[in-house]
Amino acid sequence: MRHGKYPFILSFLALPVGLYAWLVILPFAQAFQISLTDWSGSSNQFNYIGLDNYVNLFKDENLVMPAIRHTAIIVVALPVITIALGLFFAFMLNIGGRSRQGRIEGVRGARFHKIVYFFPQVLSVAIVGILWQQVYAPQNFGGLITGTLDLFGLPAPVNGFLADKRFVLVSVIAVLVWSSVGFYLVFFSSAMASIPRDLYEAGIIDGAGRIQTFFKITLPLLWDSVQTAWIYLSIVALDVFVLVYMMTPDRGGPDSASEVVGGVIWKYAFNNGEQAFASALGVVLFFAALTLAVVSLRFGRREQIEY
């Protein structure tokens, strides 16, 4: 029986592994091959030019380098802000209440609040982009934020937040946080539900406040969930082009002030007809995502706590 175990297992793995290799690994390998050529995408002829496309990536100060800087800012800001807000709201909704007997409970209406926070998840990225494009619009176009600021006599950008180089990237990050925090609130809430309430009640008896309870009990026991959230949010930050495409002027403007790596790939591939250069940038983006995941798993590892 044991002798025939491995062929039996392989018979089940052959189809999914084969599909994964065909649909995922093979396209990545082909993209790497194309990145070593001068292929424009409009012909079947190309010449191998080695690593020239990779060298030229870092010489492009008009699109590539600003896009890398902006993407790096989003990769840092989005996970930090979203995880912090998700943990805070989840902790307050699940642990913030107190019964008359002194027991730890969630606040009243916690389920309703979770639904409200989760609502942006049911909207497509295109709808979110169009919605917030109107929210950030100038006052004469009915912009909600600019109209509110004017109502209170506060200054606002004349052409709206998305047409101002000072605010456009911050505006995009704010929308990303708004659309993501609800999912991670529910994600962290489900993880908190598995923490025994006895631990919190023992902490209260010992005189621990909410801040001490969070850092001494909740956060250590949720560290694996935080690590997972960090990896997923980092990948989302690298793949933010659709929102930038839908929201910002010139699909990354104004003057490339909100340009991201995905947008540069799209522009070089379909606007400039430089498929090989776009493929090289795509390969760099792939290895950046892979490196972020490996580093997060390696340096975020902690001793597992059992309870």
Side-chain angles (χ1 to χ4, degrees), residues 71-115:
T71 303
I73 292 172
I74 297 173
V75 167
V76 173
L78 178 62
V80 171
I81 299 173
T82 303
I83 290 174
L85 290 176
L87 284 171
F88 173 75
F89 290 133
F91 182 77
M92 295 307 297
L93 289 178
N94 292 275
I95 315 297
R98 295 286 190 275
S99 68
R100 292 183 179 179
Q101 293 78 21
R103 295 180 180 178
I104 296 293
E105 293 181 352
V107 299
R108 291 184 180 181
R111 292 183 180 179
F112 172 75
H113 289 298
K114 290 176 185 178
I115 294 173

Side-chain angles (χ1 to χ4, degrees), residues 79-262:
V80 171
I81 299 173
T82 303
I83 290 174
L85 290 176
L87 284 171
F88 173 75
F89 290 133
F91 182 77
M92 295 307 297
L93 289 178
N94 292 275
I95 315 297
R98 295 286 190 275
S99 68
R100 292 183 179 179
Q101 293 78 21
R103 295 180 180 178
I104 296 293
E105 293 181 352
V107 299
R108 291 184 180 181
R111 292 183 180 179
F112 172 75
H113 289 298
K114 290 176 185 178
I115 294 173
V116 172
Y117 280 112
F118 191 80
F119 178 72
Q121 293 295 313
V122 306
L123 302 176
S124 69
V125 178
I127 293 176
V128 170
I130 294 172
L131 172 66
W132 280 91
Q133 188 181 48
Q134 298 304 312
V135 173
Y136 285 131
Q139 183 184 356
N140 56 343
F141 284 92
L144 178 61
I145 297 179
T146 52
T148 303
L149 291 174
D150 182 72
L151 183 65
F152 289 97
L154 299 174
V158 177
N159 297 320
F161 286 89
L162 297 179
D164 194 311
K165 293 190 291 184
R166 299 171 299 170
F167 301 111
V168 61
L169 189 62
V170 176
S171 301
V172 171
I173 294 173
V175 175
L176 284 170
V177 172
W178 175 84
S179 63
S180 303
V181 71
F183 174 83
Y184 290 97
L185 182 153
V186 176
F187 177 66
F188 292 138
S189 293
S190 63
M192 287 181 188
S194 64
I195 300 176
R197 291 295 186 267
D198 295 344
L199 296 177
Y200 292 110
E201 292 169 6
I204 292 174
I205 292 173
D206 290 338
R210 282 197 173 123
I211 296 177
Q212 291 176 310
T213 301
F214 174 78
F215 285 103
K216 297 295 184 181
I217 299 176
T218 305
L219 187 58
L221 295 177
L222 292 185
W223 188 253
D224 288 341
S225 299
V226 171
Q227 188 180 51
T228 302
W230 189 282
I231 293 172
Y232 276 106
L233 283 166
S234 298
I235 295 173
V236 169
L238 291 172
D239 191 30
V240 72
F241 165 62
V242 176
L243 186 64
V244 172
Y245 181 97
M246 297 301 302
M247 283 182 58
T248 61
D250 299 326
R251 299 163 185 173
D255 296 331
S256 300
S258 62
E259 193 67 81
V260 291
V261 174

Side-chain angles (χ1 to χ4, degrees), residues 52-70:
D52 288 357
N53 286 323
Y54 294 93
V55 174
N56 293 331
L57 282 179
F58 301 98
K59 295 180 180 180
D60 187 345
E61 293 291 341
N62 295 322
L63 280 179
V64 175
M65 295 311 297
I68 291 176
R69 287 193 293 269
H70 299 154

